Amino acid sequence: MCSILIIEDDLRLATLLQTGIEEAGHHVLLAYDAEMALRLMRSEGKAINLVVSDIILPGMNGIELCKCIRAEQPQIPILMLTALGTTDDKLEGFNAGADDYMTKPFDFRELLARIGVLLRRGSSAKHQAGSNSLKYADLALDLDKHECTRGGDIIHLTPKEFALLQYLLENAERVVSRSDIQENVWHTHFDTGTNFIDVYINYLRRKVDRGFSVKLIKTKPGVGFILNDE
């Protein structure tokens, strides 16, 4: 049984979420604001396996809360569940450290499916923690320190940028499609309805390739992306 922290200030919705997720076989903790959520995160320690949070909360909002959780527990999966559904809203959530993002109203079956994917990914991350690093040409990722360097210089990446670059490095010199990235970086089979992948590829290019004569991240039109030094 996994323990899931739900952060939702709408008491009716919070109760419905708790009931449905517990019926799926998980244990649920409820918090109605960010302060209560942080107290639970700190008191429960590593017992919480997943966080599901609204963005519009009293006091500290869900974006700032996500950043706080990420700073204290970098590996824990976070799913944003909110009425804010523009592309800018979603990008802000991912940049704050969210692993997935769903908008209200939502299909409960899809929510449970996404929760299942994140829990499996979180379990895998725990087993792999402290294991290795990835290198290609003069680009390196230290998976233990969550640090990226190129030519010895540190490159600051958001959690989602780091995950995308890790996937590209794991598949260096192989073309990966947008659907490959969606499934393995965003950990979902569901269509996001936006051009997130292209946006994040451009983010990485600006950080990883800008200022270097050799561009590592390339587009294969109509196919996908490839990391190579040709």
Side-chain angles (χ1 to χ4, degrees), residues 25-59:
H26 304 297
H27 172 62
V28 173
L29 297 170
L30 286 180
Y32 305 112
D33 57 39
E35 184 179 351
M36 183 178 180
L38 289 173
R39 285 201 305 270
L40 284 171
M41 291 291 299
R42 290 159 182 163
S43 65
E44 294 296 323
K46 303 297 183 182
I48 296 174
N49 304 104
L50 171 70
V51 173
V52 178
S53 179
D54 194 359
I55 290 179
I56 303 172
L57 296 168

Side-chain angles (χ1 to χ4, degrees), residues 78-103:
I78 301 173
L79 187 155
M80 293 291 195
L81 185 63
T82 176
L84 301 178
T86 69
T87 298
D88 286 343
D89 291 327
K90 294 176 183 180
L91 288 173
E92 186 178 19
F94 285 125
N95 286 335
D99 297 279
D100 202 354
Y101 195 110
M102 283 189 71
T103 55

Side-chain angles (χ1 to χ4, degrees), residues 3-228:
S3 183
I4 299 173
L5 173 61
I6 305 292
I7 308 157
E8 172 60 62
D9 64 327
D10 182 327
L11 301 187
R12 178 178 174 277
L13 178 56
T15 301
L16 289 173
L17 287 168
Q18 180 180 30
T19 300
I21 292 173
E22 286 183 343
E23 286 178 353
H26 304 297
H27 172 62
V28 173
L29 297 170
L30 286 180
Y32 305 112
D33 57 39
E35 184 179 351
M36 183 178 180
L38 289 173
R39 285 201 305 270
L40 284 171
M41 291 291 299
R42 290 159 182 163
S43 65
E44 294 296 323
K46 303 297 183 182
I48 296 174
N49 304 104
L50 171 70
V51 173
V52 178
S53 179
D54 194 359
I55 290 179
I56 303 172
L57 296 168
M60 180 191 296
N61 65 34
I63 296 295
E64 294 305 314
L65 173 61
C66 183
K67 293 176 182 177
C68 289
I69 293 172
R70 269 284 161 264
E72 296 185 15
Q73 294 197 39
Q75 297 294 335
I76 194 166
I78 301 173
L79 187 155
M80 293 291 195
L81 185 63
T82 176
L84 301 178
T86 69
T87 298
D88 286 343
D89 291 327
K90 294 176 183 180
L91 288 173
E92 186 178 19
F94 285 125
N95 286 335
D99 297 279
D100 202 354
Y101 195 110
M102 283 189 71
T103 55
K104 304 172 185 176
F106 58 91
D107 185 310
F108 207 90
R109 295 169 300 174
E110 181 178 340
L111 174 63
L112 290 177
R114 293 197 186 200
I115 285 173
V117 169
L118 290 173
L119 287 172
R120 288 191 294 274
R121 194 221 67 178
S123 175
S124 175
K126 288 179 182 178
H127 289 303
Q128 295 173 5
S131 60
N132 55 11
S133 62
L134 296 170
K135 294 182 180 179
Y136 184 84
D138 58 350
L139 177 66
L141 282 187
D142 186 319
L143 303 183
D144 300 336
K145 297 180 180 177
H146 211 76
E147 184 177 273
C148 174
T149 59
R150 184 167 182 190
D153 295 328
I154 293 178
I155 299 171
H156 298 286
L157 302 176
T158 67
K160 192 56 69 178
E161 289 167 355
F162 191 95
L164 175 55
L165 185 57
Q166 178 179 340
Y167 184 67
L168 292 175
L169 277 163
E170 288 170 343
N171 294 277
E173 300 187 350
R174 183 176 80 85
V175 175
V176 293
S177 68
R178 286 172 176 79
S179 60
D180 290 333
I181 294 172
Q182 180 174 304
E183 181 174 347
N184 291 282
V185 179
W186 269 263
H187 303 285
T188 177
H189 298 280
F190 307 103
D191 185 4
T192 62
T194 67
N195 62 337
F196 277 144
I197 293 169
D198 297 86
V199 169
Y200 272 85
I201 288 290
N202 287 332
Y203 285 166
L204 279 184
R205 282 187 173 130
R206 288 200 294 267
K207 293 184 176 183
V208 170
D209 281 339
R210 180 176 288 175
F212 290 89
S213 58
V214 177
K215 310 302 181 186
L216 296 178
I217 302 171
K218 302 176 177 69
T219 300
K220 294 291 184 180
V223 183
F225 307 95
I226 185 169
L227 189 145
N228 66 33

